[in-house]
Amino acid sequence: MDLFDIDDLTQKNRIKELEALIQKYQKSYYDGEAEISDADFDKLWDELKALDPQNKILQKVGADTSIYEKVHHVMPMGSQEKAADPEQFLEWAKKHVYDEYLVEYKLDGASLELQYENGELKRAVTRGDGTIGDDITKNARKMDGVKASIVVDGQLLNFTGGIRGEVIMTHAVHKNHFSDKANCRNAANGIMKRKDGEGSEYLTLITYDALDTTGTVFFKDEEEKINWLKKCGFNTVKLKICSSAEEVIDYRAKVMEERKTSIEYDIDGLVVKERRINLDDAFRARPDRQIAFKFSLEEAVSVLRKVEWSINGGTYTPVAIFDEVELNGTKVSRASLANPDTMRALKVQIGSHVVVVKRGEIIPKIERVIYENNITTTPVSFPSVCEVCNTPLVDNGSRLYCPNKNCSKRVLHQLLKYQQVVDIRDLGETLITQLFNTQKVKSISDFYKLTEEDLVPYFLNEESIGQDKESLGARKVYNSIQSHRNLRLSQFIGAFDIEGIGETSAEKLVASGLNTLDAMLNADVDRIASVYGFARIMAQTIVDGLKENAQEMKSLVEEGIITLQSEANGILSGQSFCFTGELNTMKRSDAEQMVKKNGGMTKSSVTKDLTYLVTNDTSSGSSKNLKAQQLGIKVITEDEFLGLFK
């Protein structure tokens, strides 16, 4: 997001909207009935942080509104910095290089501070606004893990200060006693603050922090602190010591897998900190020396069971098949492995434990492999010959493919691609396949050689043909083919089914100056790789594909079968459009074709270089509308879009 592109008034209005939403959802969270998921709340928080990093809302925690007496905390209960994925965590770790990273479960419950005087419990205080909370001592005394007095080796410990933990409800308790509640956290939040205290005996406190206010030293570092809490009889959070940031990431993946079956209560991430106790940092509203490395709804851990090879034309693409997991509310068991090089880099094998991600993508992918010594894996086998023509496959790392241009699977795929991109609607897939199987059409050029008489047998039976009946279907297809001779260069190039260059990619090359067929066919790898978005390996694949199809391309144009129209002088040249929602007068595909025929470009998402977002619901709260507002992109209606052509 480029904040400098956002209109000031739009930005201020969005900030106010985010402030109101965050305060509303914080209140419902701390009252025990959260209205939205943690992931959705984090998105609002992160957006406000991006727009206004110093906003006062970001320095506060939600405030309790209950009837209990208000009490100041011994230790502040501020919010932690968050990392939503490994990339964000590594950015934090670059600035916080520790010899060891102490990693604890981030408990998904309700924070509570126990306040002791000379070893005796005096108060139990909720999180509240981070400084002042509610005194719920009566209820807390019923909870498992809350010590009325701290006794070590039979002696009352002279401890005065605070012990902090998280009130949780186990999965078993939730299932057996509170299944009417949405989840364990909501149930724990509500029950711990009930006026009559009923149900508090079903709750458990797990501790992770302590501070003696008299200056007595009971522990010297964070590990000793956890061991001291255990010695005092408290339930404590699990602690793992990692030697590097990468080890933390691997441990997070392992815990993501374990929490599904092996952890009896909810956790929503890990807390990562240094070994030494840093009180100055701990007393900040938002500590900097530790971070909450959260789990994401867009990540899951599974076991790879097999690899299937999806064949698209002549390209063989590996697809991972794994035990079913849930990502962003969707159950998935397949994910792309992209290409042979990606598989080799991941070192993925059958039986590997893998991290599956779906971060804003339609198709999930395997992000990393979790290496464990106690599991058995076997290598993935690669196909070696084309399943259709038996030609040895070529593995160039970024692609596994059949090099035989005359492979029947490749030829048919190219014919179908041409029809789709050129949009010859009356020439359907079934008819193309029939024409190909009967050897009537063996190349793109053959489409334009078809006569109406050639097509009649595919619509009428022999008896009808013998009676000289006319075929309206054959005439319709013939006329449709003949009406698609005037094409844009990018459309023509994209229709030839060349690996790495579809119509949209071709539009970028045309816009870069390769705006004639000769220029496109004569471009070398360096020229194509110089265009933004085209890596050198992709550029080589495109050059090879253009060379392979050059003769037919030139023949179609030089013989006048295809006329290439200029894209540089259209009325929408240099402008880009994204369509969202339903249109009233046309299909979205027709609107996109109108844009392209007039020199414009279409996009599937809202980016900062978009010219217009087209929608008939300009006031909706859809993600595309909101992003367009944030980026200052003009939102227009269908009528306004059509008005651009008048």
Side-chain angles (χ1 to χ4, degrees):
M1 180 187 298
D2 188 346
L3 300 182
F4 297 104
D5 291 341
I6 302 176
D7 176 77
D8 285 344
L9 181 59
T10 302
Q11 180 174 333
K12 288 177 182 178
N13 289 339
R14 181 57 179 165
I15 288 172
K16 288 181 180 179
E17 183 180 10
L18 289 167
E19 288 175 342
L21 288 171
I22 287 172
Q23 287 179 303
K24 172 188 175 184
Y25 294 134
Q26 276 183 329
K27 181 180 183 299
S28 66
Y29 173 87
Y30 288 105
D31 283 348
E33 293 296 337
E35 297 179 54
I36 62 173
S37 69
D38 279 4
D40 288 336
F41 181 83
D42 286 345
K43 288 178 183 177
L44 297 175
W45 184 280
D46 290 342
E47 184 181 346
L48 179 58
K49 185 176 180 180
L51 293 174
D52 187 10
Q54 303 304 317
N55 193 288
K56 61 182 181 180
I57 298 296
L58 301 175
Q59 313 305 319
K60 295 172 61 180
V61 185
D64 283 316
T65 57
S66 65
I67 60 173
Y68 290 100
E69 178 185 352
K70 305 300 179 184
V71 177
H72 278 271
H73 296 146
V74 171
M75 297 178 285
M77 291 190 179
S79 295
Q80 295 170 309
E81 287 294 333
K82 299 190 300 294
D85 54 53
E87 290 75 20
Q88 291 181 13
F89 172 71
L90 287 174
E91 283 299 313
W92 176 84
K94 285 179 184 177
K95 304 172 186 175
H96 301 80
V97 180
Y98 304 149
D99 292 335
E100 296 175 313
Y101 294 87
L102 274 70
V103 187
E104 301 170 352
Y105 287 170
K106 184 179 181 298
L107 305 165
D108 191 13
S111 294
L112 188 69
E113 180 183 78
L114 304 181
Q115 298 181 357
Y116 288 87
E117 291 180 12
N118 300 317
E120 299 287 355
L121 178 64
K122 296 301 180 183
R123 287 168 294 277
V125 187
T126 64
R127 186 178 194 180
D129 64 1
T131 303
I132 299 173
D134 291 339
D135 184 345
I136 62 164
T137 309
K138 183 179 178 181
N139 291 353
R141 289 183 183 276
K142 298 180 180 181
M143 298 177 189
D144 174 56
V146 174
K147 311 290 292 183
S149 56
I150 303 177
V151 178
V152 178
D153 297 329
Q155 298 293 319
L156 182 67
L157 195 67
N158 189 26
F159 173 83
T160 297
I163 290 176
R164 184 175 176 183
E166 199 88 352
V167 178
I168 60 97
M169 176 179 286
T170 65
H171 298 150
V173 167
H174 181 260
K175 178 181 178 180
N176 295 329
H177 300 283
F178 300 99
S179 58
D180 59 315
K181 298 292 184 180
N183 53 54
C184 294
R185 185 195 65 198
N186 280 16
N189 252 315
I191 291 169
M192 67 185 270
K193 289 184 281 189
R194 288 184 60 163
K195 185 177 180 180
D196 59 10
E198 186 177 345
S200 292
E201 65 274 14
Y202 289 107
L203 304 179
T204 298
L205 179 72
I206 299 176
T207 63
Y208 51 84
D209 204 359
L211 174 68
D212 183 276
T213 56
T214 68
T216 304
V217 177
F218 290 95
F219 36 80
K220 295 179 181 179
D221 60 34
E222 292 289 348
E223 183 181 16
E224 285 190 13
K225 181 191 294 181
I226 295 297
N227 291 333
W228 178 82
L229 286 167
K230 287 180 182 177
K231 186 176 180 181
C232 292
F234 291 101
N235 300 319
T236 58
V237 69
K238 183 174 180 178
L239 175 66
K240 167 78 172 178
I241 300 175
C242 297
S243 59
S244 67
E246 289 72 22
E247 187 179 345
V248 174
I249 292 172
D250 287 340
Y251 178 61
R252 171 178 175 266
K254 186 172 183 293
V255 174
M256 283 169 58
E257 183 177 23
E258 290 176 345
R259 69 174 176 147
K260 295 182 291 185
T261 56
S262 305
I263 302 176
E264 62 179 351
Y265 47 82
D266 289 337
I267 62 175
D268 59 356
L270 303 173
V271 176
V272 185
K273 59 181 70 172
E274 60 187 322
R275 174 175 284 277
R276 74 185 182 98
I277 296 173
N278 190 325
L279 291 179
D280 290 338
D281 186 62
F283 273 79
R284 295 174 56 180
R286 202 168 182 83
D288 173 68
R289 302 288 296 176
Q290 58 179 265
I291 193 168
F293 191 2
K294 302 199 73 175
F295 300 144
S296 170
L297 295 176
E298 300 170 333
E299 296 176 86
V301 178
S302 188
V303 178
L304 181 67
R305 299 302 180 186
K306 65 177 179 177
V307 171
E308 293 180 351
W309 293 87
S310 173
I311 308 171
N312 187 10
T315 300
Y316 287 63
T317 302
V319 178
I321 311 299
F322 47 83
D323 294 339
E324 187 176 79
V325 294
E326 188 167 311
L327 294 175
N328 254 347
T330 304
K331 292 182 178 180
V332 297
S333 58
R334 301 168 63 89
S336 172
L337 282 166
N339 56 53
D341 271 355
T342 298
M343 291 179 63
R344 294 183 185 109
L346 287 169
K347 297 181 180 177
V348 65
Q349 295 195 332
I350 306 302
S352 295
H353 289 226
V354 294
V355 178
V356 189
V357 300
K358 189 182 179 183
R359 296 197 179 103
E361 301 174 12
I362 296 174
I363 302 175
K365 69 174 184 178
I366 303 296
E367 184 174 75
R368 62 192 292 122
V369 172
I370 306 170
Y371 297 105
E372 298 185 42
N373 296 325
N374 59 343
I375 61 173
T376 301
T377 61
T378 56
V380 176
S381 61
F382 283 54
S384 58
V385 297
C386 175
E387 67 169 17
V388 175
C389 67
N390 287 322
T391 300
L393 299 179
V394 174
D395 181 353
N396 67 2
S398 64
R399 184 180 168 217
L400 181 66
Y401 66 98
C402 172
N404 179 13
K405 186 183 187 308
N406 297 316
C407 173
S408 60
K409 194 174 186 72
R410 284 190 61 185
V411 174
L412 178 58
H413 194 271
Q414 185 181 53
L415 296 174
L416 294 170
K417 182 74 172 182
Y418 188 87
Q419 179 273 336
Q420 178 187 4
V421 175
V422 175
D423 199 26
I424 309 175
R425 297 187 180 180
D426 295 306
L427 181 64
E429 179 178 343
T430 301
L431 179 56
I432 292 174
T433 303
Q434 290 175 332
L435 290 165
F436 176 74
N437 289 338
T438 56
Q439 296 292 291
K440 200 68 180 176
V441 172
K442 295 177 284 186
S443 68
I444 290 170
S445 300
D446 288 342
F447 280 138
Y448 297 97
K449 297 175 183 177
L450 290 170
T451 65
E452 189 174 329
E453 290 72 23
D454 290 331
L455 292 164
V456 169
Y458 298 92
F459 291 89
L460 299 180
N461 57 32
E462 291 184 6
E463 182 180 350
S464 297
I465 294 173
Q467 297 173 358
D468 293 329
K469 288 188 177 181
E470 291 187 358
S471 171
L472 296 178
R475 182 174 302 168
K476 190 176 183 181
V477 170
Y478 173 77
N479 290 336
S480 184
I481 293 172
Q482 297 307 313
S483 67
H484 287 82
R485 290 175 175 267
N486 188 20
L487 306 178
R488 291 172 290 106
L489 175 59
S490 58
Q491 186 182 26
F492 182 64
I493 296 294
F496 267 77
D497 195 28
I498 298 171
E499 182 75 18
I501 182 169
E503 186 177 1
T504 301
S505 299
E507 287 172 354
K508 293 179 181 178
L509 293 178
V510 170
S512 77
L514 300 177
N515 51 16
T516 67
L517 180 59
D518 283 342
M520 190 76 73
L521 295 177
N522 291 326
D524 59 17
V525 173
D526 289 337
R527 175 64 178 86
I528 292 179
S530 70
V531 180
Y532 179 75
F534 289 82
R536 192 166 187 82
I537 293 176
M538 181 188 293
Q540 182 65 64
T541 300
I542 292 170
V543 168
D544 292 343
L546 288 170
K547 182 179 179 180
E548 187 178 63
N549 290 278
Q551 183 177 344
E552 185 171 20
M553 287 179 172
K554 287 181 179 179
S555 176
L556 284 166
V557 174
E558 290 172 357
E559 294 177 17
I561 297 171
I562 297 296
T563 300
L564 297 177
Q565 63 188 55
S566 172
E567 299 182 59
N569 301 319
I571 60 174
L572 300 183
S573 178
Q575 300 179 53
S576 57
F577 296 76
C578 176
F579 296 86
T580 184
E582 292 186 8
L583 299 178
N584 297 324
T585 62
M586 66 183 78
K587 294 180 180 179
R588 186 183 298 183
S589 58
D590 291 332
E592 291 174 341
Q593 285 301 318
M594 286 180 65
V595 170
K596 292 175 180 179
K597 287 178 181 177
N598 287 276
M601 294 179 63
T602 61
K603 294 178 177 289
S604 60
S605 60
V606 175
T607 56
K608 66 180 181 181
D609 58 346
L610 184 69
T611 310
Y612 295 106
L613 175 66
V614 183
T615 175
N616 283 323
D617 190 1
T618 56
S619 61
S620 81
S622 71
S623 59
K624 287 183 179 178
N625 274 28
L626 291 175
K627 191 166 185 180
Q629 292 174 28
Q630 294 165 16
L631 297 175
I633 292 166
K634 191 168 184 179
V635 181
I636 61 175
T637 64
E638 181 180 350
D639 288 340
E640 290 172 311
F641 166 71
L642 294 174
L644 298 174
F645 299 90
K646 295 179 180 178

